[in-house]
Amino acid sequence: MIESPLLYLLVLSLVVTFFHLLSSKSKWRLFEYLPAVVLIYAFAMLLASLNLFAQNGAIADIYKLTKQNLLPAMLFLMLLEIDFKDFVKLGRSLISAYILAVVSIASAFVFVAYFFHFNQDMAGAFGALAGSWMGGTANMVAVGSALGVSEDAFAYALVVDSVNYTLWVMLLLFLVPFAKIFNRFTKSDEHLAYLSEVGCACSMGAKRYWLLIALALFVSLASQLLAQYFVILNTTTTVVLLATLFGVAASFTPLREINGSNEVATTMLYILIALIGSRAVIENFSGVAVYVFAGFLILLLHALFMTLAAKIFKLDLFSISVASLANIGGVASAPILAATYDKRLVSVGVLMAIMGYLIGTFGGLFVGEILIRMAG
């Protein structure tokens, strides 16, 4: 049993490194359906269930301290990549589809929660899931932390996310050959070639990891210090919102051009996921099928809403599919779907997914607060 807090962090870091290298270097098809982040969480949870980590004060303190400092740092770096000028270039169809996707996902969460009567902890967990389905896993962690979701409830949300996300990606890829039929049904304009002119949401040049780490930790410190002077809902929520605002503000400065922010932010995300997994226990993990079904109903309502909206506003299948997957799948899958339609449109998927880093936190907190009030 590991009782040293430093050894505890070392083991989790090794788990993160192993699965990251395995997913990036191997060609296993497993990682098309189970992202590295899910396997990292599952393995850390397995180690916790085998009682590898002692439940002492020292480990609890290092868990809290590491999570508290990495969370705002990660959010800041994730948001550095946003380029609002390029987002405006997307055009009416894609921006409309993106807004409709966000609204429909948020509405579906509230509608399903009303019938499932979640308790407060699961309401918060589905709020975190809403953060993921309007942004990404980073938003899920941020919203879950801000809403005070327990590690066990977070585990449920991650399973729902993984299972339903996999099915959703498969469905949207399956529908690609039927785009012309769908577009005739909605009477949409299929001329999307101009979208290939949208710039790549990436940086060029030498990667400056140490500068980014120092900058992110400074923002983390500043966010936590400022949160001592005023509170929005609770201290963690205040820190999350401040880090988000700092990231958005920095995206308008030359800091956005520093290369390597995505890699550093992803590393921080993986460590946060491993930390949360190390506090969950498999034996507390029962009844997950009900929540997976609830997640499926949310996606079904979202699909019906988007189809109806496409008919009313004459949107094409590409626009609503990429907008949907940019929310639910994030930057890992939206570009793949976009490339399936036309390789020139990869940057569109990347850009829409990155925008989710901003929307996901605010949207998840908003939905989570509604669900928790409904549960109360």
Side-chain angles (χ1 to χ4, degrees):
M1 181 178 290
I2 294 174
E3 298 182 356
S4 165
L6 291 180
L7 186 56
Y8 164 71
L9 287 181
L10 176 61
V11 170
L12 293 182
S13 299
L14 291 174
V15 169
V16 166
T17 303
F18 173 76
F19 283 107
H20 170 68
L21 289 176
L22 196 62
S23 64
S24 59
K25 302 297 183 183
S26 72
K27 297 182 179 179
W28 292 359
R29 297 202 58 170
L30 169 69
F31 294 104
E32 294 179 15
Y33 306 102
L34 282 178
V37 66
V38 175
L39 294 175
I40 288 169
Y41 185 93
F43 197 77
M45 184 170 64
L46 175 63
L47 295 181
S49 301
L50 295 174
N51 295 317
L52 182 65
F53 308 123
Q55 301 297 317
N56 58 31
I59 287 183
D61 288 342
I62 199 69
Y63 165 85
K64 181 179 179 181
L65 188 64
T66 306
K67 185 180 175 185
Q68 176 182 308
N69 286 291
L70 278 187
L71 180 59
M74 174 202 67
L75 285 174
F76 171 76
L77 291 179
M78 286 283 189
L79 292 165
L80 265 186
E81 296 179 297
I82 291 179
D83 190 336
F84 287 93
K85 296 189 298 295
D86 275 348
F87 188 70
V88 174
K89 294 179 186 177
L90 289 176
R92 183 192 67 85
S93 293
L94 270 173
I95 293 177
S96 299
Y98 185 82
I99 294 171
L100 289 167
V102 171
V103 171
S104 64
I105 290 169
S107 303
F109 268 93
V110 175
F111 187 83
V112 168
Y114 175 79
F115 287 98
F116 275 77
H117 304 292
F118 296 140
N119 60 36
Q120 290 222 343
D121 204 21
M122 283 311 301
F126 267 74
L129 181 62
S132 176
W133 284 3
M134 287 188 276
T137 308
N139 303 94
M140 188 179 189
V141 174
V143 175
S145 299
L147 296 177
V149 177
S150 70
E151 286 79 10
D152 291 334
F154 189 88
Y156 280 96
L158 194 65
V159 170
V160 175
D161 185 22
S162 178
V163 172
N164 284 285
Y165 155 75
T166 301
L167 295 174
W168 194 243
V169 172
M170 291 171 63
L171 173 63
L172 294 181
L173 289 172
F174 170 77
L175 291 175
V176 172
F178 303 98
K180 290 186 180 297
I181 298 173
F182 183 89
N183 294 343
R184 281 199 298 269
F185 165 71
T186 61
K187 299 179 181 177
S188 62
D189 181 8
E190 299 181 62
H191 300 294
L192 296 170
Y194 74 96
L195 290 175
S196 62
E197 298 174 6
V198 175
C200 176
C202 56
S203 301
M204 304 297 290
K207 297 182 185 294
R208 303 182 183 278
Y209 295 134
W210 287 111
L211 175 59
L212 289 164
I213 290 170
L215 186 61
L217 292 179
F218 173 77
V219 169
S220 176
L221 174 63
S223 299
Q224 292 178 66
L225 289 176
L226 287 172
Q228 296 178 9
Y229 295 97
F230 65 95
V231 175
I232 303 172
L233 298 179
N234 56 58
T235 302
T236 306
T237 301
T238 308
V239 171
V240 165
L241 293 177
L242 285 171
T244 299
L245 293 175
F246 281 133
V248 172
S251 71
F252 287 96
T253 72
L255 292 175
R256 188 174 62 84
E257 304 301 327
I258 301 176
N259 197 9
S261 59
N262 184 60
E263 290 93 328
V264 178
T266 301
T267 302
M268 292 178 176
L269 170 62
Y270 284 175
I271 293 173
L272 283 167
I273 286 292
L275 281 167
I276 297 171
S278 72
R279 305 287 288 182
V281 180
I282 291 177
E283 64 189 30
N284 299 331
F285 207 57
S286 60
V288 69
V290 174
Y291 301 113
V292 170
F293 180 65
F296 172 78
L297 288 181
I298 290 169
L299 291 181
L300 178 61
L301 290 173
H302 165 61
L304 293 174
F305 182 98
M306 292 299 286
T307 302
L308 180 61
K311 178 63 175 176
I312 294 172
F313 298 106
K314 299 182 178 180
L315 301 175
D316 59 283
L317 185 61
F318 170 82
S319 295
I320 65 169
S321 294
V322 173
S324 174
L325 200 56
N327 281 278
I328 294 168
V331 77
S333 52
I336 296 173
L337 179 63
T340 306
Y341 284 89
D342 190 327
K343 291 181 180 179
R344 295 174 298 169
L345 300 175
V346 169
S347 58
V348 174
V350 174
L351 179 60
M352 293 185 75
I354 288 176
M355 283 301 301
Y357 292 148
L358 173 61
I359 303 297
T361 300
F362 291 105
L365 287 172
F366 177 72
V367 171
E369 283 297 320
I370 293 175
L371 300 190
I372 289 171
R373 289 177 187 274
M374 289 170 59

